[in-house]
C-alpha cells in the first residue's frame, strides 16, 4: 500500500502548476481575525500575511463522536488563506495530515477563492485523546467537514463553495458530498479511486496495459521475479540498510522479509503512479541487473524506509480506513508471474499494516453506498484522472441520476494529473465549468508555486 498513502505531495505539486485569476484585494488580518473570533470552539494558533493576504493556522473543537456532541472533544487543525469575504471559498483536504504552510490548490487559483485546508481526523495532532478507533469512519470525517462549512459560512463566507482534494483527499470530498450534499455547491476530485467491490480488482490488469511500450511492463515483471529469486541476498541488503538507518521491520509487517515482499509487489504500481513512459529505460529488467541495481531501483520507486515500522507509523489511520471501509488493491493474488515466489498471503494489503488489537471489521457496503449515491443523486461533480495512473483503474463513475457532472482524463497522466495538464480544449472547458459553478469570470494572472511545507512528509513514490 506504499503506492497510495504517500501520494499527497506529488498531487499537490501538479496542482500548483497552472493559471489562476487576478487576486482580489485582501482584508487586513485583524478584520478576518475578528470574524473568526465569532466562531464558537475556534482558536487562532497563528496568523501572518502571505503574498499580501491573511493566512491563519486554526484549531477547531470537534466532537470525537458526532452522535454524542457533548462527549469527548478534540481540536482539528485547519489553515485559512483569505482572499476576500465576497469571493468563493474552497474546502480542501489531503485526506491525511500535512496541514502546514500556505499553498493554493488548483481550484483556488481558478476561482481566486478563499481556501480552507483541513487535516483529517486521527492524523497528527487532530486526534481524540482516547484514540478510540471506532470513531474513525467516512461519516464522522464528513461530519467534521459539515460543521466547518456551516461555521465559516455563517461567520465569514456566505458565497459559493467548492470542495476539492486529490487521491484520498478527493475521495474524502466525495464522501462529504454523499452525507451532506448541500454543504458546498460543487466538488472537484483529482485522481480519486473508487474501489466499490474489494475483491473485484482490475488494478494489476490495468498496470500491464499502462504506457505505450509493452516491453516496459515486461521489464517491471522481470525486475520483480529477479528480486524474489534472489531473496536471501536482497533480504541481507535490507537488513543492512535498516541497521544503517536505525529502522525496524517487526511491528507493522512482522518481519523484514514480509516488508521486502510488500515493496516488490508495490513497485510496478508505484512506478506508473509517479513515473511516465520516459522513465522506462531506468527499469533493471534483465538477468544482468546486479543485486544493488535491483535494490536501488525499488528504493527509488517504492522506498525501503516507508515499509519500516517508523515509515508506516504516521499512516496507520489510512490503513485502518482502508481495512474498514475504503477497500484496497489485491495485488498479490493477481500477480500470477510471481507464483511460487510469494511467501505471504497479504504481504502488501491494508490489513497487514493494522495491529490485530485494533483491526476493524470490514464493512463491504460502505463504498457501494457512496457509489449508488453518485449514480443516482450526484450533482456538480468534476473528476480528473490520469491515463496511466493505476488508481484510474477503478474510478468514480456516473449513473442515470448523475447531473451536471464531468469526467476528464489527462493523456499519459499519472497520479499528479490536473486540469492544467489536460489538452487545451478540455482544460478550457473544465475551467469554464468550475468558474460558472462559482459565478466568477476568468482573468489572466501569474503562476502560483508555493507548496504546503507540511505535505513534505509525504515522500513521492
Amino acid at each position: 500500500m506504499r503506492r497510495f498513502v504517500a501520494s499527497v505531495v506529488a498531487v499537490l505539486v501538479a496542482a500548483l502548476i497552472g493559471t489562476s485569476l487576478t487576486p482580489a484585494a485582501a482584508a487586513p488580518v485583524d478584520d478576518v481575525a475578528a470574524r473568526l473570533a465569532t466562531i464558537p470552539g475556534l482558536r487562532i494558533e497563528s496568523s501572518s500575511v502571505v503574498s499580501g493576504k491573511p493566512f491563519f493556522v486554526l484549531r477547531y473543537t470537534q466532537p470525537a463522536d458526532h452522535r454524542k456532541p457533548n462527549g469527548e472533544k478534540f481540536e482539528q487543525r485547519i489553515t485559512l488563506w483569505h482572499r476576500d469575504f465576497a469571493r468563493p471559498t474552497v474546502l480542501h483536504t489531503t485526506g491525511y495530515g500535512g496541514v502546514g504552510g500556505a499553498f493554493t490548490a488548483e481550484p483556488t487559483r481558478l476561482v481566486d477563492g478563499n481556501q480552507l485546508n483541513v487535516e483529517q481526523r486521527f492524523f497528527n495532532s487532530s486526534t481524540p485523546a482516547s484514540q478510540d478507533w471506532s470513531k474513525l469512519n467516512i461519516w464522522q470525517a464528513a461530519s467534521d467537514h459539515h460543521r466547518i462549512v456551516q461555521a465559516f459560512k455563517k461567520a465569514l463566507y456566505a458565497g459559493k463553495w467548492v470542495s476539492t482534494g486529490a487521491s484520498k483527499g478527493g475521495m474524502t470530498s466525495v464522501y462529504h458530498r454523499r452525507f451532506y450534499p448541500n454543504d458546498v455547491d460543487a466538488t472537484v476530485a483529482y485522481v480519486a479511486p473508487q474501489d466499490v467491490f474489494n475483491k473485484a480488482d482490475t488494478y494489476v490488469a490495468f498496470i500491464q496495459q499502462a504506457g505505450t511500450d509493452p516491453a516496459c511492463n515486461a521489464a517491471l515483471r522481470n525486475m520483480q521475479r529477479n528480486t524474489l529469486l534472489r531473496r536471501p541476498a536482497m533480504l541481507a541488503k535490507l537488513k543492512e540498510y535498516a541497521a544503517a538507518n536505525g529502522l525496524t521491520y517487526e511491528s507493522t509487517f512482522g518481519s523484514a522479509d514480509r516488508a521486502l515482499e510488500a515493496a516488490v509487489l508495490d513497485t510496478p504500481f508505484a512506478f506508473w503512479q509517479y513515473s511516465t513512459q520516459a522513465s522506462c529505460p531506468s527499469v533493471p529488467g534483465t538477468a544482468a541487473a546486479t543485486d544493488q541495481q535491483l535494490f536501488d531501483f525499488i528504493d527509488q520507486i517504492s522506498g525501503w524506509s516507508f515499509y519500516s515500522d517508523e515509515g508506516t507509523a504516521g499512516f496507520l489511520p489510512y490503513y485502518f480506513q482502508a481495512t474498514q471501509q475504503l477497500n484496497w488493491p489485491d495485488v498479490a493474488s493477481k500477480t500470477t508471474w510471481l507464483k511460487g515466489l510469494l511467501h505471504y498471503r497479504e504481504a502488501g494489503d491494508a490489513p497487514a499494516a493494522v495491529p490485530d488489537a485494533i483491526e476493524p471489521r470490514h464493512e463491504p457496503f460502505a463504498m457501494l453506498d457512496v457509489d449508488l449515491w453518485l449514480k443516482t443523486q450526484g450533482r456538480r461533480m468534476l473528476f480528473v484522472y490520469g491515463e496511466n495512473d493505476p488508481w484510474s483503474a477503478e474510478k468514480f463513475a456516473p449513473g442515470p441520476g448523475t447531473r451536471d457532472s464531468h469526467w476528464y482524463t489527462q493523456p499519459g497522466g499519472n497520479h499528479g494529473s490536473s486540469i492544467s495538464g489536460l489538452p487545451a480544449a478540455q482544460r478550457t472547458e473544465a475551467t469554464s465549468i468550475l468558474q460558472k459553478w462559482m459565478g466568477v469570470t476568468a482573468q489572466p494572472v501569474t503562476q502560483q508555486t508555493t507548496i504546503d511545507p507540511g505535505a513534505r512528509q509525504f515522500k513521492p513514490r
Side-chain angles (χ1 to χ4, degrees):
M1 296 301 291
R2 169 72 174 98
R3 54 192 168 269
F4 188 51
V5 298
S7 66
V8 178
V9 70
V11 175
L12 287 178
V13 169
L16 293 172
I17 301 173
T19 59
S20 60
L21 303 180
T22 301
V29 171
D30 290 346
D31 290 354
V32 183
R35 294 207 192 185
L36 290 172
T38 67
I39 299 177
L42 184 75
R43 69 179 177 91
I44 298 174
E45 186 173 278
S46 67
S47 63
S48 58
V49 176
V50 179
S51 298
K53 304 175 184 69
F55 177 79
F56 297 86
V57 178
L58 308 169
R59 296 284 182 171
Y60 185 52
T61 301
Q62 296 275 21
D65 183 353
H66 286 279
R67 291 187 172 87
K68 297 179 180 179
N70 295 322
E72 182 186 11
K73 304 290 196 301
F74 74 99
E75 286 191 319
Q76 189 164 28
R77 197 170 193 225
I78 304 170
T79 62
L80 167 63
W81 206 357
H82 172 86
R83 265 64 171 173
D84 188 276
F85 294 117
R87 298 301 301 176
T89 301
V90 178
L91 177 69
H92 175 272
T93 176
T94 65
Y96 297 93
V99 177
F103 82 101
T104 48
E106 187 173 60
T108 307
R109 295 193 319 277
L110 293 177
V111 303
D112 187 28
N114 308 294
Q115 180 175 290
L116 287 168
N117 190 22
V118 182
E119 185 164 76
Q120 184 85 342
R121 61 166 46 211
F122 277 73
F123 283 89
N124 297 338
S125 60
S126 298
T127 303
S130 66
Q131 292 189 315
D132 181 352
W133 290 91
S134 69
K135 304 306 183 291
L136 176 58
N137 58 51
I138 60 174
W139 178 82
Q140 294 282 5
S143 298
D144 290 340
H145 293 127
H146 173 65
R147 292 188 74 246
I148 291 168
V149 171
Q150 295 305 310
F152 279 80
K153 274 186 176 181
K154 182 178 180 180
L156 287 91
Y157 307 122
K160 298 285 188 178
W161 282 65
V162 57
S163 59
T164 191
S167 195
K168 185 171 180 285
M171 297 159 66
T172 301
S173 295
V174 178
Y175 305 154
H176 174 212
R177 289 292 300 281
R178 183 267 173 266
F179 294 109
Y180 300 98
N182 299 318
D183 270 1
V184 298
D185 300 279
T187 296
V188 180
Y190 296 87
V191 294
Q194 168 66 334
D195 191 346
V196 181
F197 300 103
N198 196 39
K199 294 299 183 181
D201 282 350
T202 61
Y203 294 105
V204 173
F206 179 95
I207 294 168
Q208 298 313 304
Q209 304 300 318
T212 58
D213 183 4
C216 187
N217 291 311
L220 286 165
R221 293 193 295 271
N222 290 337
M223 175 277 304
Q224 289 180 292
R225 284 191 57 82
N226 290 336
T227 301
L228 293 180
L229 283 168
R230 307 179 198 180
R231 188 187 287 259
M234 301 304 290
L235 183 58
K237 283 188 170 296
L238 181 55
K239 290 181 177 179
E240 180 182 348
Y241 173 89
N245 291 279
L247 302 175
T248 57
Y249 288 87
E250 283 68 45
S251 297
T252 301
F253 287 98
S255 68
D257 188 51
R258 190 175 184 179
L260 182 148
E261 189 166 297
V264 171
L265 283 167
D266 280 354
T267 298
F269 198 118
F271 178 86
W272 286 114
Q273 183 174 352
Y274 289 114
S275 302
T276 65
Q277 183 68 42
S279 300
C280 286
S282 68
V283 181
T286 69
T290 66
D291 293 349
Q292 192 63 47
Q293 286 175 322
L294 292 169
F295 188 87
D296 290 346
F297 178 77
I298 294 173
D299 190 34
Q300 176 189 355
I301 300 300
S302 290
W304 292 113
S305 63
F306 179 82
Y307 294 86
S308 69
D309 302 329
E310 295 78 9
T312 58
F315 299 107
L316 178 57
Y318 164 71
Y319 289 125
F320 181 93
Q321 285 193 278
T323 301
Q324 181 189 44
Q325 295 181 313
L326 308 186
N327 299 328
W328 64 90
D330 178 11
V331 175
S333 68
K334 311 290 184 180
T335 309
T336 56
W337 54 91
L338 298 182
K339 186 176 182 180
L341 296 176
L342 300 177
H343 295 174
Y344 305 95
R345 183 177 61 84
E346 55 173 28
D349 291 352
V354 181
D356 292 342
I358 65 168
E359 185 171 330
R361 177 179 58 85
H362 183 235
E363 299 177 14
F365 299 111
M367 293 300 100
L368 179 60
D369 171 74
V370 174
D371 188 62
L372 289 174
W373 170 81
L374 179 61
K375 286 179 166 60
T376 58
Q377 301 178 53
R379 300 289 188 276
R380 289 188 172 180
M381 311 289 292
L382 194 153
F383 294 90
V384 179
Y385 289 98
E387 181 183 20
N388 291 331
D389 177 20
W391 292 108
S392 296
E394 298 188 9
K395 62 182 72 171
F396 287 97
T402 308
R403 297 288 184 269
D404 193 13
S405 296
H406 310 269
W407 275 254
Y408 296 94
T409 299
Q410 179 176 322
N414 57 19
H415 207 52
S417 296
S418 63
I419 292 174
S420 67
L422 296 173
Q426 293 185 7
R427 181 171 66 247
T428 298
E429 178 182 270
T431 300
S432 297
I433 289 169
L434 173 60
Q435 291 171 345
K436 181 181 178 182
W437 284 343
M438 294 296 102
V440 300
T441 303
Q443 301 175 46
V445 293
T446 58
Q447 182 178 352
Q448 165 61 255
T449 57
T450 305
I451 189 166
D452 175 7
R456 289 195 175 93
Q457 64 180 292
F458 303 112
K459 179 185 173 186
R461 285 172 287 176

